[in-house]
Amino acid sequence: MNVQEHRQRLGELLLAAQKLSARDLERALSAQQEMGGMLGRVLVRLGLVSEPDVAQAVAQQLGIPLASTQDLADPVVDVDGLQPGFLRTHAVCPLRLEVGELHVAMAVPQDAFVLKALHLATGRVIRPWMALESDIEKALAEPVEEAPEDDGFSGGADGGEFVEHLKDLASEAPVIRLVNTIIGRVTDLRASDIHLEPFDDGLHVRYRVDGVIHHGELVPPRLSAAVSSRVKLLAHLDIAERRLPQDGRIKIRVKGRELDLRVSTAPTVHGESVVMRVLDRASVRLNLDTMGFAPDTLARFNDLLTRPHGILLVTGPTGSGKTTTLYAALSKIDAEANKIITVEDPVEYQLEGINQIQVHPQINLTFANALRSILRQDPDIIMIGEMRDGETAQIAVQSALTGHLVLSTLHTNTAAGAITRMQDMGVESYLITSSVNAVLAQRLVRTLCSHCRQPYAPGEQLREHTGLARFMEPDQPIYRAVGCEQCRQSGYRGRTGIHELLLLDEPMRRAVIDGKDANSLHTLAAQHGMLSLYEDGLRKVAAGVTSLDELARVTQDQSDA
């Protein structure tokens, strides 16, 4: 059997088992020609197939048993003539001795050189088993003493040695596999963030799913620093610097999907806390029609996007989908007929036909400096990732007044709060009224799982107390969350938006000039037909999209605006 036939057969077995697509196999074979090595390893390295799937296919191909972790759990058999160094180097673990035979677990059981060496060293017939390299390493590992505690401030030779030690640990197969597993769970859980939080008892792994934090694995204390270092290495961060926050990015392929992870580290008393924000290009919906807008709100918002100049603000707390809404708005605008430039920190998704600028404060490329330069680029539409300071707000206002449509975000709880926030930033009221067209406040609510949601009739008292009566028929049921296998017992699957759209019409402009506060502006907008976030949410409760409990959880901060 020549090598190419062997490679092809492994690929065919994985194709037949539906572990791999034909296109991915072609990519792997061409990558193998460049990288060299065995096809199975190339497939695992590219993230196209999991290590256990490859091991199963190889065992099937060679007609040998597949060793489980249970098979490798017993103490390693001591065999005369076999040195521990040789076993570790070639990933071989003796399983049992029989008359004239030695059963061994091997990461590469088709390696004729190793099989011959084992036979010559022991004088026995070698019976190979297929096993995961990581499982063999674990079985052969000697007990490791925990690394002494380090406060992150050690310098000199010891500090350097500790960093080298961390690099070594972070490059070991168990740590690499653990980090890959942690990141890999993102696709199963549909998580938006991974949190690695160090405490006394180890590294707590938590996942944010549909806006709610869920507990995951607990990494033992001896591996905590290695796991954090592995993530930092992947994100091209300085692993020696553990006293200052750092930001980076990881591009990785997980279960056949390209994932982009935005990495942020921060020092805590127990070590470095790491957060990975998942920017999954495959799941992002850049379509305003599918983002939960009520038809009347969407019509008004689309109308605002056609205006030739002015500021359109999207507000809400972190993680409320503001940037996604702006991206969806930009993708709706004809990029061929308009020159569109964005200034972002960071650029989360790359949009076709749109000039996107990444802010770099280290080289003094701030929002304000970038904005000044792009006005000379003659844009029609400008998107500012976030209005963070007075200087940026002032330039945005000037841009709107000189004939540009400006889209931006602000961290405020309500739409009316954005007006007072701009005043706090030092923008004069008359400039706000002449430049701002509208403010859209938004939140994300979890949508009820369609498989297990349960209808019930709200009593008259509940309908009146919550305000539901305004949006539904008297005998109409609403739904509550239950929980099933489809939604991992949470009762919810996915999220949708709720919105309030405040238009700066003539009465609103007069109120701003008169110096009215956010509550007064909100009341005035409601009198002129604006539905609040809570009221828009009630429409979704009445429609069976979400529950009253979820709406209360998400909108409880409105009164604090």
Side-chain angles (χ1 to χ4, degrees):
M1 170 180 75
N2 70 40
V3 176
Q4 190 56 43
E5 281 175 347
H6 156 69
R7 285 176 186 160
Q8 192 56 43
R9 274 224 297 274
L10 177 63
E12 284 169 2
L13 285 168
L14 290 165
L15 282 174
Q18 296 187 325
K19 302 292 183 186
L20 185 66
S21 71
R23 185 170 168 275
D24 282 340
L25 176 58
E26 275 177 36
R27 286 175 53 204
L29 286 167
S30 61
Q32 184 192 20
Q33 286 179 342
E34 290 174 31
M35 296 158 60
M38 306 185 79
L39 179 63
R41 292 196 167 180
V42 172
L43 287 165
V44 171
R45 209 176 305 159
L46 291 173
L48 296 170
V49 184
S50 71
E51 202 181 346
D53 286 342
V54 169
Q56 202 162 3
V58 171
Q60 183 186 343
Q61 177 197 20
L62 299 176
I64 60 173
L66 178 63
S68 66
T69 46
Q70 203 58 45
D71 294 319
L72 291 157
D74 298 325
V76 176
V77 177
D78 197 16
V79 182
D80 289 341
L82 292 184
Q83 298 299 319
F86 177 85
L87 297 177
R88 276 197 290 272
T89 302
H90 296 285
V92 176
C93 180
L95 293 174
R96 62 174 185 268
L97 282 164
E98 290 180 354
V99 182
E101 290 185 349
L102 170 64
H103 289 252
V104 293
M106 298 176 66
V108 189
Q110 62 271 55
D111 190 328
F113 164 76
V114 176
L115 288 169
K116 190 169 185 181
L118 289 168
H119 171 64
L120 291 172
T122 62
R124 295 170 185 268
V125 174
I126 306 300
R127 300 288 181 207
W129 291 46
M130 180 70 211
L132 297 183
E133 188 171 353
S134 47
D135 288 345
I136 293 173
E137 279 187 8
K138 209 180 289 179
L140 295 174
E142 295 163 9
V144 180
E145 286 184 29
E146 288 195 16
E149 280 194 25
D150 186 277
D151 60 3
F153 293 89
S154 53
D158 291 346
E161 280 172 24
F162 187 76
V163 169
E164 285 308 311
H165 174 62
L166 271 184
K167 269 190 181 162
D168 291 343
L169 274 177
S171 303
E172 286 181 1
V175 173
I176 292 171
R177 198 175 73 258
L178 179 55
V179 170
N180 288 348
T181 302
I182 289 169
I183 294 174
R185 288 198 67 198
V186 159
T187 51
D188 299 331
L189 296 172
R190 298 175 297 103
S192 60
D193 302 81
I194 307 168
H195 297 253
L196 307 177
E197 301 165 334
F199 291 101
D200 268 341
D201 58 343
L203 193 68
H204 292 225
V205 182
R206 303 202 292 169
Y207 300 88
R208 190 179 291 282
V209 181
D210 292 336
V212 178
I213 287 270
H214 295 269
H215 287 278
E217 302 88 341
L218 176 63
V219 177
R222 64 189 179 82
L223 290 176
S224 294
V227 166
S228 299
S229 298
R230 173 67 185 161
V231 173
K232 288 170 74 175
L233 282 171
L234 287 171
H236 305 292
L237 300 178
D238 179 2
I239 73 165
E241 181 53 80
R242 287 169 292 140
R243 299 165 300 171
L244 292 171
Q246 294 186 70
D247 291 297
R249 201 157 186 168
I250 299 172
K251 278 196 169 77
I252 195 167
R253 191 174 178 85
V254 176
K255 297 180 183 174
R257 282 166 75 182
E258 290 283 352
L259 281 189
D260 224 338
L261 304 173
R262 201 167 85 206
V263 181
S264 167
T265 72
T268 72
V269 289
H270 293 292
E272 278 184 298
S273 171
V274 179
V275 177
M276 290 179 270
R277 162 68 61 90
V278 182
L279 307 172
D280 183 0
R281 288 195 179 89
S283 70
V284 71
R285 297 172 303 176
L286 296 182
N287 186 346
L288 289 172
D289 300 334
T290 58
M291 292 172 71
F293 280 92
D296 53 346
T297 310
L298 182 59
R300 284 199 292 270
F301 189 70
N302 281 334
D303 178 53
L304 289 162
L305 292 175
T306 62
R307 296 204 184 172
H309 54 80
I311 297 175
L312 177 54
L313 289 171
V314 180
T315 77
T318 305
S320 58
K322 301 185 297 294
T323 308
T324 307
T325 297
L326 284 187
Y327 277 153
L330 287 179
S331 65
K332 194 176 183 73
I333 295 167
D334 185 357
E336 287 189 14
N338 295 281
K339 169 99 171 183
I340 304 173
I341 303 184
T342 74
V343 186
E344 304 169 63
D345 183 21
V347 172
E348 293 192 9
Y349 301 101
Q350 286 162 23
L351 303 173
E352 202 174 331
I354 292 173
N355 303 279
Q356 294 172 272
I357 297 172
Q358 167 88 47
V359 168
H360 283 293
Q362 303 93 323
I363 56 170
N364 207 26
L365 181 59
T366 59
F367 275 109
N369 288 341
L371 275 172
R372 281 195 198 92
S373 64
I374 67 172
L375 286 173
R376 294 193 286 274
Q377 294 266 316
D378 186 30
D380 298 299
I381 294 152
I382 300 166
M383 193 267 261
I384 306 167
E386 188 187 332
M387 262 192 216
R388 290 185 183 169
D389 52 61
E391 196 178 4
T392 306
Q394 294 280 4
I395 301 169
V397 167
Q398 294 302 329
S399 304
L401 294 175
T402 53
H404 303 90
L405 181 61
V406 179
L407 311 180
S408 189
T409 71
L410 260 181
H411 281 272
T412 62
N413 288 339
T414 63
I419 306 296
T420 50
R421 175 63 58 85
M422 285 185 76
Q423 289 169 335
D424 293 343
M425 285 179 171
V427 182
E428 298 291 345
S429 297
Y430 71 89
L431 288 174
I432 294 173
T433 55
S434 52
S435 62
V436 178
N437 293 338
V439 184
L440 178 80
Q442 92 171 35
R443 294 286 189 287
L444 294 174
V445 292
R446 290 182 293 168
T447 51
L448 285 162
C449 172
S450 57
H451 292 89
C452 65
R453 64 177 189 165
Q454 187 182 72
Y456 70 99
E460 189 60 36
Q461 189 180 352
L462 181 68
R463 283 158 39 84
E464 293 300 331
H465 173 67
T466 58
L468 259 176
R470 196 178 143 195
F471 301 103
M472 58 188 291
E473 300 297 324
D475 56 349
Q476 187 181 332
I478 59 174
Y479 294 82
R480 61 164 68 97
V482 178
C484 66
E485 281 185 13
Q486 298 283 336
C487 58
R488 297 181 181 269
Q489 306 304 325
S490 69
Y492 299 94
R493 188 173 173 83
R495 289 190 289 176
T496 191
I498 56 172
H499 307 89
E500 66 182 31
L501 184 60
L502 183 145
L503 300 170
L504 262 83
D505 52 14
E506 207 44 54
M508 186 61 64
R509 288 194 179 98
R510 278 200 301 274
V512 173
I513 294 289
D514 292 344
K516 294 281 195 287
D517 64 10
N519 286 337
S520 305
L521 296 177
H522 186 88
T523 305
L524 179 64
Q527 288 166 1
H528 285 78
M530 181 188 83
L531 289 184
S532 69
L533 285 165
Y534 180 71
E535 289 166 332
D536 189 45
L538 286 175
R539 292 201 280 189
K540 288 186 168 56
V541 171
V545 173
T546 191
S547 68
L548 273 175
D549 289 344
E550 174 65 5
L551 179 61
R553 179 185 75 83
V554 170
T555 58
Q556 62 193 4
D557 65 350
Q558 274 204 78
S559 57
D560 306 331

